[in-house]
Each structure stands twice: as structure tokens, then as C-alpha cells.
Amino acid sequence: MADRASRGLSRRSVLTRGAGAVVGGAVIGSGLVGGAVGGAAGYAGRGLLDDDEAVPDWETVADSRVVGAATEPFHGPHQAGITTPPQAHAAFLGFDLAAGATRAEVQGVLRAWSQDAARLTSGRGGLADLEPELARDPARLTVTIGLGPGLFDAVRMPEKRPSWLRQLPAFPQIDQLEDRWSGGDLLLQICADDPLVVSHAARILASGVRGVAEQKWAQRGFRKAVGTDPTGRTQRNLFGQIDGTVNPGPDDVDFDRVLFSDGRSADGQTQRWMRGGSSLVLRRIRMTMDTWEEIDRTSRELSMGRRIESGAPLTGVHEHDPADFEAVDEVGLPVIPPESHMARARQRDRGEAMLRRPYTYDDPPEPGRISNSGLIFTAYQADPVRTYIPVQRRLAEQDALNTWTVPIGSAVFALPPGAPEGGYVGQGLFEG
Amino acid sequence: MADRASRGLSRRSVLTRGAGAVVGGAVIGSGLVGGAVGGAAGYAGRGLLDDDEAVPDWETVADSRVVGAATEPFHGPHQAGITTPPQAHAAFLGFDLAAGATRAEVQGVLRAWSQDAARLTSGRGGLADLEPELARDPARLTVTIGLGPGLFDAVRMPEKRPSWLRQLPAFPQIDQLEDRWSGGDLLLQICADDPLVVSHAARILASGVRGVAEQKWAQRGFRKAVGTDPTGRTQRNLFGQIDGTVNPGPDDVDFDRVLFSDGRSADGQTQRWMRGGSSLVLRRIRMTMDTWEEIDRTSRELSMGRRIESGAPLTGVHEHDPADFEAVDEVGLPVIPPESHMARARQRDRGEAMLRRPYTYDDPPEPGRISNSGLIFTAYQADPVRTYIPVQRRLAEQDALNTWTVPIGSAVFALPPGAPEGGYVGQGLFEG
């Protein structure tokens, strides 16, 4: 199926192609330009096909189950759904614990989710699943479980809460947060290459825990369908923007350190149960297409700091060319405007590296509007206080793209380490 | 690319496989059992792969653009998006004409949509498209244009309205229609195998006509992703139900007559401009998953009249076995309950045949709910007064599935014949 090792085999094709291929993750900005970050090998380590490799036609793919039959393992040292090459569809579900939910009940939720996730991701129905036929082709289904700040009070274990696990500081310059897209004591992130699989898994997992964990919000999003974009190529968002040029990749020596906790927070606190875990910052960002469509391509490119066609920095030719923030034009103005998204998002040091894996949303519009769309932005890292917050603070202060983007939802979750066979996600929190 | 002729080549594999393969279309019920209808060759004329054909793996598909590069022609005697094998994603957009919109302005809308549709479906950006990169891989994009009843008054041509083009009669036993999902003077049906392509095309087409046609509603839905289900196999809806076993197919001698108008309505009225056109009944049907999940599989199967696993009638073994509505069990009760969906939906005569091509929706739930999902039901036929209405009347009177389904939106559109190169959809209405 789709394990990491077999993917590595096609890396040679990236390397022979040079800068044209790369990186699956993405973000609303293509900024965060680091030193050695990204480069010619994507974090999935895959790229474009060699010209001489057999490429099937649409007929062959459509009449097959190759996309549906692929699986991602649930068990392992880290949870799936973080470094997994992004699937085409995702649902993010936020839950609040019912008043009076006990520690044992919370453990029961985590155990039930882990058991059902192990079954569903391998193509079996959930334990209480009356429609196991809907689970038969998992299409690389992953289920990622997160713990929100409030959970630790609910289970009377506030001392076990990582110091970075708290709601983000307010960014009053930009935030228009709505409670219906924000917060949550528990998270389910459900991703698959088939939208029906996502719907079924979401339903099974959410309905099984009613009474203890009440679903607060659900956000569905998508990326380009499998077979419409080489996985190594960076994707575009609804602004037409090449989106996520820079992401840490598995070839980076610090890839694991960027993503996975060693149990210590940047402020020195130690939470042994979080070793191998990660964190998720989830932001729902409305993109105001109406006003975006009022500006021309040049203005768009100046806002991004990159070319639309290639994704290259305005000082370069190819997407992964390094940016020259000192370059000036014939009248002495910076070629990459200092207020451009790219210039503002640029990593100030390697500690700001994070992995982004966003999804586009396009929901039914409100009355009188043509669209209701934007980005479900996700950032994964060992410690978001060290990474996400300083970057977001700069962007809130100044970012040309803020004119057309509005954060309307915000949540932070601890993603415990993966579960071994027979164990459950979050188990370490309750042991020792 | 994906033209009809090349698809026909794989029909042999269906025939050698027998009853296991078939039919891409679907509906909330798997009823409408006709005589020679459906059978072993689906309306797309394709089926499962032969065992010895090379099936690509997920890696090969993912690292390619085969799904994105496939195209469906826009020009032709009939509009695309009717007999086209259903794409994985769809948006249905309903528009009302602005007060005082002139005939020339309406013609302008139809011309602009046709021009942009021809461009977008071939992988080029729309004429005023500032993000043509988002159109590059059309993924079998089709754009189907519909005319609602009110349009003919607006352009002061009420005599050109087909007699069947009117809002459906009320079905008070079941309808809980909401204005925000109902009606419309114009329709855009936008389908593609890639969700981003659908979003971009919808945005381009809707924003280009503001001032004349105001978007009233937008509904997005999905079917299984390409490569997760052989195209010949009938799909399941969120009830786990095999959905759409019976649909007319291109091998049926009356396929064209079922779908496309010869200009005459069942009541004898003639509208020459509609020759080669069709009609669409669009119903938004909420599926109440909470109560559906309270019943067991036996009750579900009795409600459907079919087995969940195979889709076979309760009197049969295979999906396409003919149903025996006379069969009784050991205590003399009908094996297929007369109130089951299948028994009620069964075609009383061939004149009730219609083509269904529905999409599942799964939108953000309202507060306190786990899900907000159901079916965007579509029925295409030459004359819905002859086909859809009598069937729906029976179902409204009695259908066991009504317990878990609620129609919340309803609309009817004339789908004019296809446009030739240089022409536009609906042009015939304004000429002669």
C-alpha cells in the first residue's frame, strides 16, 4: 500500500527533475522561507513521474479501486495524519466534554476512537458500524486525535497540560473569531482520498461518544483530487496562489525535532507523556473572493511577494529559488515589498519551522453572497509558542494579504504520540 | 481523453463478468425497477477491469495528472453533464434574474456562460479569469445550463415555456421545502473529478453575471472519488444503500427518447427550440442520520426492499436480479414489503423511466447536531410531468424511507439542447 518506504523509491525522479517538483504541504502564504528548508525533495519524498514511466489513462483509473484500496497505518510511534502526504479530503471535528464527564469516561472515548480508527483505517467497519460496506475502501484514511486545553481541567489533571497548550493570544488587528468554529476539548482530524469515506468515518466516530463528548463544530475541506496534480507539486489555493512552497521535509535533519515533542516545552516544562507527540494550530481563514477579484495580477503578486504562474519569488524564476529581500528595482523600491506575505512570514530562525497541511473549504454561501470559502489552515509543530505564535504576530501586525483574509475560527490541540497495537491514543496521559 | 467511443471498448469486460458490474447513475432509492432497463451494461457502457489488465498503484496515480487531464466536450447536440458518467464532485447554482433584466441581457448571460464553459472545460481560464492556472487541469469538467420557469416571463416569452416547466406540485406529506434551496430562473450544474476545479469554475461563472443574474443558492455534493469504486459499480449513499441500481442505459433502444425531447410535451404542446434538450428535477433531500442509526439492518433492508450488502431485491441474490413482488414468506407476508421504497418506486410503465445522477452532501451541521447531510437528487428526462411526478406522488403517499428523508429543496429546469461551436446554450429560444 502506501507506506513511507515505498514512496522513497520515486525520489530519484524528483532529483533528476531539479526544481520543478516538490513538497506536498501548503499554507495560505507561501512564505516561511527558511535556509535549507524544503529544497528539491518534498517531505513525502516523492515527485513527478519520469517520462518513461507508464502513466495510466483516466479510464484505467476510474475502472479500478487503486485509490480506495490504499491504506495508512494507524498504529506507530507518531499519530498518522501529520507527516502523511495530505489526502484529498478532510473533516475536522471539535468536541466539548459534557459537564461532569469523568476521567474514566474520557479514557473510554479515547479508547473507543482508537479502536474504531484502527478498524476504519484498515477497511473494516467500526465496532458498532451498521454500514461496514462504507468502510471497505479506506482510501488512505487517517484519524488523528487531539486534546484541547479544557480537557485537562475536566479530568482534574491540570498539571499534565503542556505549557503551550492554551488558546492563542488575540490578534485584534485581524481576528473576527466565531465561537462556532473555535475551541474544543477534543479534536478528530479525519482525512482520506475519498469524500464518502471521510463522511462515514466522521459519523461513526462522532455518534459513538455522544453523552460524553458533544460535537461543537465540524469543518470539511479538500485539496486537489488524486491524479489531478503530481503529489510532489505545490498546490494552489482559491486565490490561485501556489501555496506552501516551504515546508520542512523528511530529508531535513531536524524534521522530527520540528514536528515531534521530546516532552519538553520551550519554557522548560517537561511532560513525559507527550514524547513523540505534536501539536496542531487550526485556523479557519475566510478568503474574501469578492474583493480579491477586484485587483489585478500585478497587485496580487506584490501582495504575495511571489509570481502566480510559477510561485517563484519576485526576485527569482523558479518556485524554489531563494528570495532576495535586498533587491531593489530601477527606482530603488524593494522588488519584494516588505509588507508582502512572503517577507512577513519568512522564518526569522529555524525554530519557527512548522509543517502546514491546509484544506480549502467552499460551503453554502450566506444569503446575498456568491461564495463562502477559504482555508482550513493547519500548522503542526512540537511547540506552537515557539513557532506559530511569533510568525502569526508578525503577520497580524502587517501582511498585505490580510486585506482579503479574515480568521474566523481558532483552536489549539495537543496531538499525543501514536498508539501501539492494543493501546489507545492519549493513554500515557493517564499512566504514571 | 474520455470520449464516449473509447469508453465503449471496455464494455466487453462487463459482459464477461455478468451481473457484478453496472450503471453509474443513482438515486436515493434503488427502486424504479423496469423491464429491460439497466441490465448488465451501465449507461456509461463500462465495467470492471479484466483481471489481466494492468491496474496502476496509488503512487502511480497520485504522481500523475491523468484524472486532471481528462476532458468532456462542451459542444454537441446535447449538453454535457446529463449522460456524462458522473464526476466525483458537483456544484449546483441557482440564480434569479434581477428585476428588469432585459431579453438581451439574458442572452448575454447565456452567451457568456457558454463561452466560458467552452474554455474552462478544455482547460483554459474564463475570458475574464485572473487565475487561469486553476483551470489548467479540467478533470472532466462539464457545465450544464438550465432555464427555470420564471425566465420565460422575464424575457416576455411565456409562450415558449414548455408546458412541463413549472414548479412541482406540493407533496405535503413529506415536503419541508426551504426557499433557500428552491426555485431559480437559471441553473448552472458544474461537475468535475476535482473539487478545486468545481470551485473555481463556479466562482468564475457566477461572478461574471452579477447585476443580471443573482445567485440564489449553491449546493455542493460529491460521489466516490475516481479510483475508489469501479465506474460500472452502483454506488452507496450515506445510508449504506446501494443507490441507483436501475437507470436507463445507452444500450436501451429508448435511451435518447427517455432523456431528450423531440420538442413535444406529453400534453401535445410543441416547442421546437427544445428539440434535443432535456429537463432536470433537483431535490435536496435531508437524510436524518440520527434516527436512521436507531434501526437495525433488517429494518433497513425491509425499508429499502433490497439487501444492503449486495443491493439485491429481498427475493434475489444479485443486485440486478428481477424482483418478485408476489413472493411471500412462510407466514404469508410479502418478502418485499409493499410499502418498501423499491415497491413504491417501481416503474409502472416505461414512460416513467428517468436518469438519476445524484450527489451526497455533507455540510457544516447546525448547532447541537452531529451532521447536516443528505442527497442532492437529480432526475433527467424529456418530460418530468410524464416521469418524475407520478413516481414522486406514489412515494409521497407511502414509502418506508420517508421516515428518514425530508425534501428541503426543490427546483425544475429546462436543459436546452447543446450548443454548436460558436453558438450558445439556449440560443434557439430566441430565434424564430
Side-chain angles (χ1 to χ4, degrees), chain B residues 107-194:
Chain B
Q107 287 176 275
V109 167
L110 296 171
R111 196 180 288 112
W113 278 352
S114 297
Q115 286 175 345
D116 270 354
R119 296 175 62 92
L120 290 164
T121 55
S122 64
R124 293 171 292 160
L127 275 173
D129 199 335
L130 286 176
E131 289 125 13
E133 291 86 357
L134 291 176
R136 196 170 290 161
D137 292 302
R140 299 202 307 124
L141 176 68
T142 57
V143 176
T144 314
I145 298 170
L147 313 180
L151 177 135
F152 296 83
D153 298 317
V155 298
R156 295 191 185 78
M157 303 172 80
E159 75 286 357
K160 291 293 187 77
R161 177 171 37 223
S163 54
W164 46 258
L165 182 58
R166 48 182 195 254
Q167 292 314 323
L168 298 179
F171 301 105
Q173 309 97 321
I174 55 170
D175 281 355
Q176 296 184 24
L177 302 185
E178 302 175 28
D179 183 59
R180 64 173 172 154
W181 305 118
S182 299
D185 297 330
L186 285 163
L187 167 85
L188 285 174
Q189 171 191 299
I190 299 164
C191 303
D193 285 328
D194 179 35

Side-chain angles (χ1 to χ4, degrees), chain A residues 11 13-15 17-23 36-43 45-47 232 251 320:
Chain A
R11 188 173 305 163
S13 56
V14 181
L15 298 174
R17 290 265 182 141
V22 180
V23 180
V37 185
Y43 76 82
R46 293 163 307 164
D251 291 342
H320 295 279

Side-chain angles (χ1 to χ4, degrees), chain A residues 276-338:
Chain A
S278 188
S279 70
L280 168 63
V281 174
L282 183 71
R283 302 271 287 178
R284 186 174 178 88
I285 301 174
R286 175 176 290 156
M287 291 160 63
T288 56
M289 300 299 293
D290 286 353
T291 51
W292 177 253
E293 286 171 0
E294 291 169 0
I295 64 168
D296 62 18
R297 273 174 77 98
T298 303
S299 305
R300 295 176 185 199
E301 292 184 333
L302 290 170
S303 302
M304 299 172 187
R306 291 183 178 272
R307 298 181 202 286
I308 293 174
E309 166 67 25
S310 61
L314 293 178
T315 56
V317 175
H318 302 293
E319 180 185 350
H320 295 279
D321 287 350
D324 179 359
F325 294 99
E326 309 302 321
V328 294
D329 64 14
E330 60 278 9
V331 297
L333 290 172
V335 178
I336 298 175

Side-chain angles (χ1 to χ4, degrees), chain A residues 9-89:
Chain A
L9 295 175
S10 53
R11 188 173 305 163
R12 65 188 162 76
S13 56
V14 181
L15 298 174
T16 57
R17 290 265 182 141
V22 180
V23 180
V27 75
I28 191 155
S30 49
L32 291 167
V33 182
V37 185
Y43 76 82
R46 293 163 307 164
L48 300 172
L49 286 172
D50 285 342
D51 290 328
D52 57 354
E53 288 187 45
V55 177
D57 62 8
W58 181 86
E59 292 282 311
T60 306
V61 176
D63 284 337
S64 74
R65 293 164 69 185
V66 292
V67 176
T71 58
E72 298 283 351
F74 175 73
H75 298 108
H78 310 300
Q79 287 198 73
I82 301 171
T83 58
T84 307
Q87 298 97 324
H89 299 274

